[in-house]
Amino acid sequence: MRISGFTRVVGGVLGTDEAQYQGYDNNFSLSSFSLAAVQADYAFTDNLKGSAQVLYHSSEIRQSGVEWLYLSYEPVDAIQIKAGRLRTPVLLYSDVQDVGYAYPWAIAPQQLYSAYLFSRYEGANLRYRFAWDSIQFELEGYWGHFDDDIKAADLMLNVHVENLNGFIASADFGNGVSLRLATMDAPEIEVETAQLELLRSGLLQAGFTDLAEQLSLGGGATALISGASYQGLEWFAAAEWMYLNSDIEVLAELQAYYFTLGRYLGEFQIFATVADSSYQLNTIENSIPLGVAPGLDQLYFGVEQLKQSLPTDELFTLSLGARWDFRPSMALKAEITWLDGEPGQSSFYDVTSIQDGFDRDTTLYQVAWEWVF
Amino acid sequence: MKRSWLYPAILTGILLYSANVSAQVVVVANLGEKNTSMEKTEIRNLFMGGIGGRLDPVTLSPGVRERHMFNTLIVGLTESRIQSYWAQMRFSGRNQEPVEVESVEAMLRYLLENEGSVGYLPADFPVPRSLTVLYSTG
């Protein structure tokens, strides 16, 4: 039995009192991204292992509990089969997003690493590795189902996904350069939210069937991700680009990317990151006539309110950060991020916190302590 | 398995090595006297968890001078990056880091005792004849 774990204490303060961003406001807080986890790995045989990871998260939005619970079987070095509760390996750091020690940032770029993707699943994962000349290739596929709450802008959604699946191909060229291509397909998504269901039944009763249909949250979504990174003795760089598309009317099409360039200076590293997201909402035509009857007016404003609460997360950020690996397995980080959102949109801010007149531009200051053991 | 000639060999190595400290390393393996060699990229891939056939890498603990030399001259990554990488591998269940030993002497002992193991030593360290030199940075 091997016991290991990780802890991170992340603190931040936002340079405005007109909104909250990722749980941060203009009072310094440690409660948005701080967490602790313990992992137990047990080898039943040389080929069969079991792993469990229990995580405590400080955020009210994230659930604490069993994050990973799986069996891993490696019949030969090149093949690994995992089954159980697993993290979804969509982006480069998706399956270790909680392990801040694994990446340079205080928090991974939110335009990609937000909660839109289904962070974990219950199912199976098959990984195959092979080498060609000096290049190491890795092919990975996963399949399973997801059932959890996702917060999207002002909506808390209970999401159930059947047949969640994806494929990842990556190549490590042995000279610090690696490339990665990934897909995620969620063909059968069911979403429940009390706010929406009430409005939909009202619309159906009033005969606005088309509009009710538009507000349906059932459907499918696909994501395509490509990434590249370079790690050298003096410099490092990483970039990922994601395209997310959905046939669910009230969800959207999202494109996002980040690019990080950094420099190693002994135990220190400094880096700059730019990240951007563009969002394309499917248009919802509010066809309810206004001023005809009080009941219809109520439905009209209900639809308008819903339109306002849907995520429209266009946001450009520039971050400057530093990390100090002051002793093995521990690091300190400091980061300043300029947020440049779009007026009128959610832009990853907590929608209910946005005050009238806020232009979606502010600065986020963060510090973090990372420990793996 | 302990062997009677093992400790005199280690002691001789330590005495000769301590007279002159090299800034280069040699990659050595316990392959049962086989004559073979490896490319630098193959060694890098092996120590970073790539497909390595039946070879088992063993590395020195962070802070040991020869580990820094090996990281710089062969792996081509900083210590912080290597540790970040292994944190990512361990907590995503993808791979486990190589066995770590505390010192050059412990490295030599481990290599002599474990067939199929691959490690590294200072370039001017007298390598026992039972170990095979796979690569030299000098």
Side-chain angles (χ1 to χ4, degrees), chain A residues 2 80 82 127 129 140, chain B residues 49 51 83 92-94 96:
Chain A
R2 177 180 176 170
Q80 183 187 43
K82 289 191 280 194
R127 192 162 70 108
R129 299 185 298 156
E140 185 172 354
Chain B
I51 296 291
Q83 293 211 26
S92 61
R94 291 167 184 274
Q96 292 285 340

Side-chain angles (χ1 to χ4, degrees), chain A residues 150-226:
Chain A
I150 290 181
K151 189 170 190 297
D154 199 23
L155 293 174
M156 185 56 85
L157 312 171
N158 178 256
V159 182
H160 182 74
V161 184
E162 282 298 329
N163 296 315
L164 176 69
N165 67 88
F167 183 76
I168 300 125
S170 64
D172 181 337
F173 290 84
N175 57 2
V177 175
S178 56
L179 300 175
R180 190 173 185 278
L181 191 66
T183 65
M184 189 203 69
D185 183 29
E188 300 165 44
I189 304 173
E190 287 176 19
V191 183
E192 289 172 18
T193 170
Q195 297 152 273
L196 197 55
E197 283 313 307
L198 205 60
L199 181 60
R200 285 192 70 227
S201 65
L203 289 169
L204 286 170
Q205 278 175 13
F208 294 97
T209 317
D210 288 349
L211 192 51
E213 192 59 35
Q214 274 193 301
L215 300 181
S216 166
L217 287 176
T222 56
L224 178 66
I225 297 103
S226 60

Side-chain angles (χ1 to χ4, degrees), chain A residues 2 4-6 39 68 70 77-78 80 82 89 92-93 95-96 99 101-102 127 129 134 136 138 140 172 174 176 231-233 264 269 323 325 328-329 373, chain B residues 41-42 44-46 48-54 62-63 71-73 75-81 83-85 87-97:
Chain A
R2 177 180 176 170
S4 55
F6 51 90
Q39 180 168 310
W68 295 81
Y70 64 89
D77 263 2
Q80 183 187 43
K82 289 191 280 194
L92 181 59
Y93 294 109
D95 53 6
V96 286
V99 190
Y101 188 83
R127 192 162 70 108
R129 299 185 298 156
S134 60
Q136 297 273 323
E138 197 169 301
E140 185 172 354
D172 181 337
Q231 289 286 346
L233 284 168
Y264 290 111
Q269 51 187 278
R323 169 173 167 153
D325 285 74
S329 305
F373 58 92
Chain B
T41 319
E42 290 177 302
R44 178 195 185 275
N45 287 338
L46 175 67
M48 294 305 287
I51 296 291
R54 296 182 178 278
N71 290 347
T72 305
L73 298 169
V75 180
L77 294 172
T78 63
E79 181 63 47
S80 62
R81 174 56 197 161
Q83 293 211 26
S84 296
Y85 172 81
Q88 183 177 3
M89 292 298 112
R90 190 197 317 162
F91 293 114
S92 61
R94 291 167 184 274
N95 225 327
Q96 292 285 340
E97 54 265 63

